Amino acid sequence: MTTPENPQSVYEAVGGEETFARIVRGFYAQVPEDDILGPMYPQDDWEGAEQRLKWFLAQYWGGPQTFNERRGAPMLRRRHIEFPVNREAALRWLELMRNSLDQIDEETIPPTYRHAIWEHMERAAAMLINQPD
């Protein structure tokens, strides 16, 4: 979301690594006890899952290319195909992400950037649905 008037990336504009770490940390604080999403995650890799999501989001929004360097191309559908993601799971993922985003003030993530981040999350959640209702 850089423009000639504002060459800064979204990653830089919202505070870089710390902000994306907060989004992901807030999300994963909810997942272990969640009845829909919790069982989808490997119980012995919470820290790894959190790290990978942080790398992915940071890279997508203009931060370091850590995800590609350590994991290769994101290929989200392919990486998630083994998990039964139906509409209910996608909506729950969005609910937990919304809860996490709502914990971060507008000074850190101004409305324009928050809207762009949220639209991306909605598209990603919809794209990952691989099971019928």
Side-chain angles (χ1 to χ4, degrees), residues 28 31-49 52 83:
Y28 276 105
V31 174
E33 302 302 319
D34 188 81
D35 62 326
I36 296 172
L37 300 183
M40 291 187 201
Y41 285 84
Q43 299 302 305
D44 62 346
D45 193 29
W46 290 107
E47 188 176 312
R52 290 185 296 273
F83 304 105

Side-chain angles (χ1 to χ4, degrees), residues 10-75:
V10 171
Y11 178 82
E12 294 165 333
V14 302
E17 182 176 352
E18 179 52 33
T19 299
F20 285 95
R22 286 177 61 196
I23 293 169
V24 172
R25 195 168 43 244
F27 172 77
Y28 276 105
Q30 304 168 80
V31 174
E33 302 302 319
D34 188 81
D35 62 326
I36 296 172
L37 300 183
M40 291 187 201
Y41 285 84
Q43 299 302 305
D44 62 346
D45 193 29
W46 290 107
E47 188 176 312
E50 187 172 327
Q51 191 78 299
R52 290 185 296 273
L53 181 56
K54 183 181 77 168
W55 293 338
F56 170 75
L57 290 174
Q59 177 176 301
Y60 184 86
W61 291 105
Q65 298 293 301
T66 309
F67 190 96
N68 279 7
E69 291 166 1
R70 297 195 181 182
R71 307 276 297 165
M75 302 178 296

